[in-house]
Amino acid sequence: ESYRKALAVKPDSAAAHYNLGNVLHKQGKLDEAVASYRKALAINPDYAEAHSDLGNALHKLGKLDEAAESYCKALAVKPDSAAAHYNLGNVLHKQGKLDEAVASYRKALAVKPDYTGAHINLGNALKELGCLDEAVASYRKALAVKPDYTEAHINLGNALRELGCLDEAVASYRKALAINPDYTEAHINLGNALRKLGCLDEAVASYRKAIVIKPDFAEAHSN
């Protein structure tokens, strides 16, 4: 309401249109948010943050090509925006453009080396490309920055399991469960690694823990 009042007085305030867009975005009114960001950009085409947040709203709407275009415009104005590189990487990843996604994540990390999300998603893209050793290195970098990052421990465990490093995979899953004991996928993945190691009693125990947390978990029952 306050931003709308400001715009009634000064309709050419790019900042007010942008901030209104952010509030609408938080309210889940994505189409209205997009309209507000576009108004801000009509007034100030070099508004990097508006391009970036427009990209975020378009991404949530599933308009991936338009989102990518917005991130590219943000980066044309502000090439050192780690967030824009990261978000562009996420869109490219969803589009299946894995090599381009990897390049974007690497650019984000060149700007912000401690960007845990970028390390994780870089690892995910590398894993999909079959570059498992590099994926493991990315997950380890994420954990060096944020040791209690449950998802990083899980993803590291998955990559290690694919590499055949089962004992290390088990250790990663156990670390994830030490942080979040109710993580059903971690119990399942731990069970799978233990089963491959021939530790069947321990595997059964892991599957049972997953079932206690999520009684309708079909995969856990099956395993």
Side-chain angles (χ1 to χ4, degrees), residues 48-165:
E49 290 78 10
H51 282 298
S52 199
D53 286 334
L54 172 59
N56 294 342
L58 290 165
H59 188 175
K60 286 183 184 175
L61 285 166
K63 299 179 178 180
L64 300 183
D65 288 330
E66 290 180 67
E69 184 183 354
S70 289
Y71 295 134
C72 287
K73 286 179 179 174
L75 289 164
V77 179
K78 194 175 179 183
D80 63 345
S81 171
H85 283 298
Y86 171 72
N87 290 330
L88 175 58
N90 290 341
V91 168
L92 292 166
H93 197 161
K94 273 194 180 177
Q95 291 177 315
K97 299 174 181 177
L98 296 176
D99 289 313
E100 292 177 62
V102 164
S104 286
Y105 293 136
R106 291 199 192 281
K107 286 174 185 173
L109 289 163
V111 177
K112 188 180 178 185
D114 62 348
Y115 201 149
T116 52
H119 283 298
I120 282 285
N121 288 3
L122 172 59
N124 294 342
L126 289 165
K127 184 171 176 287
E128 286 181 49
L129 283 166
C131 304
L132 294 175
D133 288 316
E134 290 181 73
V136 164
S138 288
Y139 298 138
R140 290 199 193 282
K141 285 176 184 173
L143 289 164
V145 178
K146 191 176 179 184
D148 61 347
Y149 200 156
T150 311
E151 203 68 34
H153 285 294
I154 294 284
N155 291 359
L156 174 59
N158 292 343
L160 288 166
R161 196 178 71 202
E162 284 192 36
L163 281 167
C165 304

Side-chain angles (χ1 to χ4, degrees), residues 186-208:
H187 285 295
I188 282 283
N189 291 355
L190 173 59
N192 292 342
L194 289 165
R195 188 175 62 183
K196 280 193 176 182
L197 281 167
C199 305
L200 298 182
D201 289 324
E202 289 180 72
V204 166
S206 287
Y207 297 137
R208 289 199 194 282

Side-chain angles (χ1 to χ4, degrees), residues 3 18-34 36-37 53 56-57 60:
Y3 289 132
Y18 170 67
N19 290 332
L20 174 59
N22 286 341
V23 172
L24 292 165
H25 196 158
K26 284 192 176 180
Q27 290 180 318
K29 299 173 180 176
L30 296 176
D31 288 310
E32 291 179 65
V34 164
S36 287
Y37 293 138
D53 286 334
N56 294 342
K60 286 183 184 175

